[in-house]
Amino acid sequence: MKQALIIYGGWEGHAPKETSQFYQTLLESEGYQVTLASDFEPLYHKEELKRLDLLIMNWTRGELPDEPLQNVTQAVAEGLGLAGVHGGFASAFQASKGWLFLTGGCFLAHPGGLETTYSIDLTTNHYITANTQSIPQLTTEQYYCLVDPAVTVLATSTFAAKDHPNAANQEVILPMMWIKKWGKGRVFFQSVGHSLKELKEPIIQTWTKRGFLWATRNTLTDPLKNSRYSESSEKRMRK
């Protein structure tokens, strides 16, 4: 049985507890044993971290002390999967260069806020996006992130805030979903998920769930072949 830990907290505007419980449900449907924690205490136990298969960080803003950061960084290098969504990952611990280096990107802004309408374009053929389609129109926050050139971008969006001063430059293509490797570990992020409503959108839910599975320690390239996944069970999850 795969072991997953979800750390949640920080700014309450992203409903960290509720979204973490949703992630827990996604993973438990695949047979994972999931532990939720509302503080960093589990991250101080280096050897226990190394026995986990997946760590999901869901903590908007805040500061991560050096010891747990170093423990997580080392555990991922040795094979622990690391994943997250929206501000709980890309907007976490922004003062920490070590965290940004590990995760591959940093949230800067979302000009236009929740009223921004844009498309999401798939860019890479990958297990996470297989048999799914680009999203022609989505109205929610459009995350503008600075991104590590080492990542593999799976999906992008075009900067939609045409009245923003930065739009005076050339067309800006924004990475919104990426993966990377850190030593033996895998890292996954996608930027849509300000609320549970968005996370439950069928394509967003599929990308998120598959991203978690892909990042998990010692997973296959296509983990669905040896999982409890089925199209019917995924449809039930969407309800």
Side-chain angles (χ1 to χ4, degrees), residues 46-47 50 69-80 182:
K46 184 185 302 185
E47 296 307 313
K50 293 180 180 180
L69 172 62
Q70 294 305 315
N71 289 346
V72 170
T73 301
Q74 181 179 347
V76 175
E78 295 180 10
L80 172 65
W182 184 270

Side-chain angles (χ1 to χ4, degrees), residues 85-159:
V85 174
H86 198 62
F89 198 76
S91 190
F93 325 131
Q94 290 188 325
S96 171
K97 292 181 180 179
W99 174 256
L100 303 183
F101 198 10
L102 174 62
T103 57
C106 176
F107 163 79
L108 289 184
H110 43 64
L114 288 168
E115 302 304 315
T116 305
T117 299
Y118 58 96
S119 63
I120 296 176
D121 303 303
L122 297 180
T123 59
T124 305
N125 185 20
H126 190 271
Y127 150 73
I128 294 172
T129 58
N131 300 316
T132 66
Q133 298 178 338
S134 299
I135 299 176
Q137 184 170 300
L138 182 70
T139 300
T140 186
E141 293 175 339
Q142 183 184 32
Y143 261 30
Y144 200 112
C145 295
L146 295 182
V147 179
D148 182 350
V151 306
T152 296
V153 177
L154 301 184
T156 64
S157 63
T158 301
F159 189 47

Side-chain angles (χ1 to χ4, degrees), residues 60 130 190:
T60 303
Q190 71 88 3

Side-chain angles (χ1 to χ4, degrees), residues 153-237:
V153 177
L154 301 184
T156 64
S157 63
T158 301
F159 189 47
K162 300 186 184 305
D163 58 346
H164 189 273
N166 201 44
N169 298 294
Q170 72 274 16
E171 184 177 72
V172 180
I173 306 298
L174 303 174
M176 64 77 51
M177 179 164 57
W178 66 76
I179 56 175
K180 68 174 291 188
K181 294 182 179 179
W182 184 270
K184 296 179 181 179
R186 293 176 171 187
V187 180
F188 164 79
F189 168 75
Q190 71 88 3
S191 67
V192 179
H194 181 77
S195 68
L196 274 174
K197 178 182 178 181
E198 295 163 348
L199 288 169
K200 290 181 178 180
E201 287 292 324
I203 293 179
I204 299 300
Q205 178 171 315
T206 295
W207 292 343
T208 301
K209 181 179 181 179
R210 290 182 181 178
F212 292 168
L213 296 179
W214 176 85
T216 298
R217 183 193 302 273
N218 294 330
T219 191
L220 301 173
T221 301
D222 183 354
L224 297 188
K225 291 180 180 178
N226 285 343
S227 77
R228 298 183 182 181
Y229 171 87
S230 68
E231 291 295 334
S232 59
S233 65
E234 186 163 285
K235 288 177 182 178
R236 289 196 299 271
M237 291 293 295

